[in-house]
Amino acid sequence: MKNSPETLLCHDPDQKYEGAVVPPIFQNSLFTFPDWEAVDGAFDARQEHFIYSRGKNPTVDFAEKKLAEIAHADRTILFTSGMAAISAAVLYCVKPNSHIITVKNVYGPTSNFLANYLKEKLNIETTFVSGENAEDFKANIRKNTSLIYLESPASATFCLQDLKAVASLAKEKNIKTICDNTWATPLFQHPLDLGIDFEVHSVSKYLGGHSDLVAGVIMGKKQEMEALFSREYEWLGGKISPFEAWLLIRSLRTLPIRMQRHQENAMKVAQFLEEHPQIAVVRYPALRSFPQYELGKKQMSGYSGLFSFQLKTNDIEKIKTFYNALKIFHKGVSWGGFESLVYAPAISYLKELSSEQFVNMNIALSDIRISIGLENAEDLIADLRQALEII
């Protein structure tokens, strides 16, 4: 009998320790064996034994198995951060002088890694496309294209890519695909089921959910994940700590109920903003006004709490006044925690990206990104209302 995600995430692996409901933290660097033969056998099957925690660790293993179940993956590998996971997945898929296609609104550090670091170190070129139509990718495929990197919904504008269509196109050309699925989580979107080769997440966001851990994860099929483990994971050393893996196990137990609340609150706030005279546009895939609403319904089963809106002013002082007037919304980077956050993408994007990249991402100074937390939705709306009234 296959259980639902809610049930799967509330139960830990069958192995129990002294009847503990919560699995222990294996905070140790190495594991010992009774004799030569046992050590020898473990090294013959390194990915199935606990030898050294840079490789496998029981606490980390618990968390990885939970994630694999809800993502419909054969295997997952946890990393120290989302960028550690992303860079490892990308490096697995490329070689010197190859070519990558990605979307213009990809996460800022990912954009820099693809466009700048890989170009400098491996002479890999990256083409940025809108990605709203699968033809955008098809038209830019070259003989040396080895990877299509997706992020759906994408940063800042939340535009979607047709994951099934792009995956099908890539397979015809023997091109690997990676999708950053942090926004939707494995509860609301299953890229692997749609044909994507690798799914990546910043675990620091909804999967962690409590703003107290930084981690990343790669998900995929058994053979390729085993190869990635032996190379990009062990050689680059981006291991997660047992304690952070334990925090993640704790967080996953409440993921379904948290995502339900994030979604309900975000919809109420988005509808309020959409009707407010000071707002030019709200970018939230759950709204019927969203240009790709039908695609979202087709490939996602739900929506998270992160979206953006644009104020009807380009006056930077008025924008700052609104931003600083918010009282309940914390001001800071990241998202996906229990708390509501507000951020102006222009603050960091102007520092992380070139002026040309900034323009190409269709971001304006008046764009505001909000992460809707678990507070009372009416309180959040009241906070936004009072801030909008003074600009």
Side-chain angles (χ1 to χ4, degrees):
M1 181 178 70
K2 187 164 181 65
N3 291 318
S4 66
E6 290 85 351
T7 302
L8 288 171
L9 293 173
C10 277
H11 291 268
D12 294 316
D14 291 337
Q15 187 176 11
K16 298 293 183 182
Y17 296 86
E18 302 297 330
V21 174
V22 178
I25 304 172
F26 287 84
Q27 192 65 45
N28 47 292
S29 60
L30 76 155
F31 304 85
T32 60
F33 301 85
D35 50 39
W36 174 294
E37 288 76 16
V39 177
D40 187 52
F43 271 93
D44 283 339
R46 289 174 48 253
Q47 299 202 36
E48 297 173 14
H49 290 83
F50 303 113
I51 301 172
Y52 187 60
S53 281
R54 180 165 53 80
K56 282 175 65 69
N57 173 281
T59 312
V60 176
D61 195 54
F62 289 170
E64 289 176 340
K65 286 177 178 176
K66 281 179 174 286
L67 289 171
E69 286 184 309
I70 62 170
H72 305 167
D74 292 342
R75 183 173 180 181
T76 67
I77 301 174
L78 283 163
F79 287 76
T80 51
S81 69
M83 278 308 302
I86 289 167
S87 57
V90 169
L91 288 171
Y92 176 83
C93 296
V94 299
K95 57 185 178 182
N97 306 310
S98 59
H99 173 243
I100 298 170
I101 306 173
T102 190
V103 291
K104 292 179 179 178
N105 286 84
V106 73
Y107 176 53
T110 304
S111 177
N112 276 326
F113 177 71
L114 297 177
N116 301 324
Y117 186 88
L118 293 181
K119 175 63 176 176
E120 177 187 339
K121 296 292 185 180
L122 297 171
N123 195 36
I124 293 172
E125 291 189 0
T126 299
T127 299
F128 291 84
V129 300
S130 168
E132 294 178 38
N133 190 312
E135 292 297 317
D136 293 340
F137 299 96
K138 185 176 182 179
N140 286 279
I141 291 176
R142 305 176 188 174
K143 289 183 179 180
N144 62 334
T145 302
S146 60
L147 172 65
I148 295 177
Y149 186 93
L150 308 170
E151 184 181 300
S152 186
S155 296
T157 62
F158 303 95
C159 57
L160 312 180
Q161 299 104 59
D162 188 329
L163 301 183
K164 187 173 183 179
V166 176
S168 177
L169 169 66
K171 280 180 169 46
E172 289 176 10
K173 303 291 185 179
N174 198 30
I175 297 169
K176 294 295 184 187
T177 50
I178 299 172
C179 180
D180 184 334
N181 193 36
T182 305
W183 188 94
T185 80
L187 293 184
F188 291 158
Q189 184 166 254
H190 290 99
L192 301 178
D193 289 350
L194 297 173
I196 298 298
D197 294 307
F198 296 102
E199 178 178 338
V200 295
H201 290 259
S202 169
V203 172
S204 319
K205 310 302 191 291
Y206 290 117
L207 296 178
H210 293 74
S211 298
D212 56 8
L213 70 93
V214 174
V217 69
I218 305 175
M219 307 168 170
K221 295 192 179 300
K222 184 176 186 291
Q223 185 175 352
E224 291 193 302
M225 292 299 292
E226 287 181 348
L228 195 151
F229 179 93
S230 296
R231 293 164 41 182
E232 284 76 15
Y233 177 67
E234 285 199 303
W235 291 352
L236 298 180
K239 63 167 284 296
I240 186 176
S241 74
F243 179 62
E244 287 185 308
W246 184 86
L247 287 175
L248 174 59
I249 295 167
R250 167 217 59 182
S251 299
L252 290 175
R253 297 187 188 105
T254 62
L255 178 64
I257 196 167
R258 286 189 288 108
M259 293 310 298
Q260 179 182 347
R261 181 60 176 263
H262 283 300
Q263 179 177 223
E264 291 171 355
N265 277 359
M267 193 64 180
K268 292 176 182 177
V269 173
Q271 289 172 335
F272 160 75
L273 290 169
E274 192 172 39
E275 297 172 1
H276 198 283
Q278 294 277 42
I279 303 300
V281 64
V282 179
R283 300 187 182 98
Y284 185 42
L287 292 174
R288 290 187 177 275
S289 59
F290 189 75
Q292 295 175 293
Y293 174 77
E294 292 301 328
L295 176 59
K297 294 289 286 184
K298 175 183 172 184
Q299 65 186 25
M300 293 190 293
S301 60
Y303 308 90
S304 68
L306 183 75
F307 64 91
S308 68
F309 59 90
Q310 193 173 94
L311 297 169
K312 279 187 180 177
T313 178
N314 289 317
D315 186 329
I316 189 63
E317 293 307 317
K318 288 185 177 181
I319 296 167
K320 288 180 180 179
T321 296
F322 164 77
Y323 186 86
N324 292 335
L326 291 166
K327 297 179 173 65
I328 295 177
F329 284 85
H330 295 278
K331 301 163 185 71
V333 299
S334 197
W335 45 272
F338 61 89
E339 76 286 11
S340 289
L341 288 161
V342 61
Y343 191 67
I347 295 173
S348 59
Y349 278 31
L350 286 172
K351 300 178 189 298
E352 294 174 350
L353 306 174
S354 68
S355 56
E356 181 182 359
Q357 286 176 307
F358 184 79
V359 171
N360 286 338
M361 290 183 76
N362 298 318
I363 304 172
L365 288 175
S366 55
D367 279 329
I368 303 294
R369 189 189 75 185
I370 55 175
S371 175
I372 304 301
L374 305 179
E375 304 95 337
N376 181 283
E378 295 306 316
D379 291 341
L380 298 175
I381 289 170
D383 193 25
L384 288 162
R385 182 185 290 113
Q386 64 84 21
L388 287 167
E389 286 174 352
I390 62 176
I391 63 172

